[in-house]
């Protein structure tokens, strides 16, 4: 990582089109997912996410036919615990390079990213599968890799899918949405993919303005806990968990400036708007 990138001013919000042209998927996974503790400047973020996902899905409360992962990036870490409980998993991302990186891993292509260290961490934590079993199970459950744009009413347009039992999204909306109105609409679009009674699992960061991938400083919409809760509730969701951990000291973190990371689960009741 280049420390100078942290201090470089952002010319404008880096929306999906910037990612399509500039985002280096391999640099991203190498930087943030090469080990279970994640990037050295953010050593609590990834373990918190993996433990929260394990706790949520290992409870057995959330399972079904379909899980949609919206804005997967080039990453599979959010699906390691979930894949046991859903027959079909659809992964998705706006950026071509992220979808290609995902496909390489799913097809076991030469040179694909090695997720074994993260998968082993989850399996040791849960104590019920070998890493090899978990890896093969995840590959077998992913049925499609789709382009998505959360700014669209149907994020998977032109593909139309049956409503999901679970929609999972991680570190996506705050990076894709330039303002609160865009975020509000994107959240509504994502929620529309879920059946009544289904569960939304959302991982995000609070009060972050940027993160760094290689030489690029990428925008993030600063969110507050109250704003996220209010917007989720306004869409007819019953929030079941909203857990947070504080971020690292901002002076020591060269790759982002988030104040906290949150893990939310919410069950869909009625569509209110």
């Amino acid at each position: 990582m280049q420390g100078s990138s942290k201090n470089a001013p952002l010319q404008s919000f880096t929306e999906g089109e910037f990612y399509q042209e500039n985002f280096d998927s391999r640099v991203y996974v190498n930087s943030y997912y090469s080990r279970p503790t994640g990037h050295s400047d953010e050593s609590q973020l990834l373990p918190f996410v993996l433990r929260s996902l394990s706790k949520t899905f290992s409870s057995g409360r959330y399972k079904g036919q379909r899980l949609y992962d919206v804005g997967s990036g080039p990453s599979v870490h959010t699906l390691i615990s979930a894949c046991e409980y859903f027959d079909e998993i659809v992964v998705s991302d706006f950026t071509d390079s992220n979808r290609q990186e995902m496909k390489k891993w799913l097809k076991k292509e030469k040179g694909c990213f090695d997720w074994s260290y993260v998968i082993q961490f989850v399996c040791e934590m849960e104590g019920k599968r070998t890493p090899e079993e978990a890896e093969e199970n995840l590959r077998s459950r992913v049925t499609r890799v789709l382009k998505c744009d959360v700014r669209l009413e149907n994020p998977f347009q032109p593909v139309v899918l049956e409503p999901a039992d679970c929609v999972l999204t991680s570190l996506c909306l705050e990076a894709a949405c330039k303002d609160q109105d865009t975020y509000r609409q994107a959240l509504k679009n994502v929620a529309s993919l879920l059946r009544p009674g289904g569960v939304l699992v959302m991982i995000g960061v609070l009060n972050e303005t940027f993160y760094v991938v290689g030489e690029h400083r990428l925008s993030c919409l600063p969110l507050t806990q109250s704003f996220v809760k209010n917007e989720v509730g306004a869409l007819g969701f019953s929030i079941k968990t909203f857990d947070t951990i504080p971020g690292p000291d901002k002076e020591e973190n060269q790759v982002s400036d988030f104040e906290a990371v949150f893990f939310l689960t919410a069950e869909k009741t009625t569509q209110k708007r």
Side-chain angles (χ1 to χ4, degrees):
M1 292 296 174
Q2 299 294 318
S4 59
S5 296
K6 175 179 179 178
N7 300 314
L10 286 171
Q11 300 303 312
S12 60
F13 196 91
T14 53
E15 296 184 83
E17 292 72 22
F18 183 91
Y19 279 74
Q20 178 72 333
E21 295 179 11
N22 299 286
F23 193 77
D24 192 319
S25 305
R26 183 51 67 93
V27 168
Y28 174 72
V29 287
N30 282 340
S31 299
Y32 292 97
Y33 299 103
S34 288
R35 53 186 180 176
T37 50
H39 193 283
S40 58
D41 286 6
E42 303 178 342
S43 58
Q44 297 303 310
L45 191 157
L46 184 56
F48 169 76
V49 168
L50 295 174
R51 291 188 181 104
S52 298
L53 288 163
S54 176
K55 179 180 178 182
T56 296
F57 290 108
S58 295
S59 70
R61 178 171 181 170
Y62 302 119
K63 53 190 174 182
Q65 181 71 20
R66 289 177 288 271
L67 181 151
Y68 301 157
D69 187 14
V70 178
S72 310
S75 310
V76 303
H77 67 288
T78 57
L79 301 171
I80 300 166
S81 294
C83 69
E84 274 195 277
Y85 302 95
F86 297 90
D87 298 327
E88 305 169 22
I89 295 175
V90 173
V91 297
S92 63
D93 200 76
F94 183 89
T95 308
D96 294 347
S97 63
N98 283 343
R99 298 195 306 278
Q100 288 304 316
E101 194 71 39
M102 182 76 77
K103 289 176 182 177
K104 285 181 184 177
W105 184 82
L106 290 169
K107 295 176 182 178
K108 299 185 182 180
E109 290 184 7
K110 184 178 180 180
C112 68
F113 185 73
D114 183 5
W115 285 98
S116 62
Y117 300 105
V118 176
I119 293 172
Q120 182 174 349
F121 175 85
V122 174
C123 289
E124 289 178 353
M125 176 173 55
E126 295 178 349
K128 55 186 179 182
R129 297 175 292 170
T130 67
E132 293 76 19
E133 288 171 338
E135 191 167 320
E136 287 310 304
N137 190 24
L138 176 51
R139 282 194 173 101
S140 69
R141 299 294 173 97
V142 176
T143 58
R144 303 183 77 168
V145 180
L146 296 180
K147 183 178 178 68
C148 78
D149 185 344
V150 296
R151 298 168 297 183
L152 301 177
E153 185 175 359
N154 169 17
F156 298 145
Q157 185 179 318
V159 179
V160 178
L161 299 179
E162 292 292 319
D165 302 290
C166 175
V167 168
L168 195 160
T169 186
S170 176
L171 304 177
C172 171
L173 298 187
E174 57 268 63
C177 301
K178 62 183 179 180
D179 54 39
Q180 288 189 351
D181 286 342
T182 307
Y183 185 97
R184 187 176 290 115
Q185 185 60 49
L187 184 62
K188 182 179 180 180
N189 299 339
V190 171
S192 72
L193 301 171
L194 193 62
R195 68 166 176 81
V199 64
L200 171 68
V201 178
M202 186 160 64
I203 298 152
V205 282
L206 300 178
N207 292 314
E208 178 172 284
T209 65
F210 78 92
Y211 70 104
V212 175
V213 177
E215 294 299 313
H216 293 292
R217 189 170 182 257
L218 297 149
S219 309
C220 198
L221 177 66
L223 302 172
T224 64
Q225 180 170 326
S226 60
F227 174 76
V228 175
K229 283 185 171 181
N230 287 341
E231 295 307 317
V232 172
L235 289 172
F237 282 86
S238 173
I239 295 174
K240 300 303 178 183
T241 61
F242 196 106
D243 299 327
T244 65
I245 60 164
D249 185 288
K250 291 188 180 184
E251 292 302 314
E252 298 179 3
N253 185 0
Q254 293 296 308
V255 296
S256 65
D257 66 344
F258 69 95
E259 289 185 2
V261 57
F262 71 84
F263 184 90
L264 173 151
T265 61
E267 295 175 11
K268 186 175 185 178
T269 53
T270 58
Q271 192 80 3
K272 289 192 176 180
R273 69 181 187 203

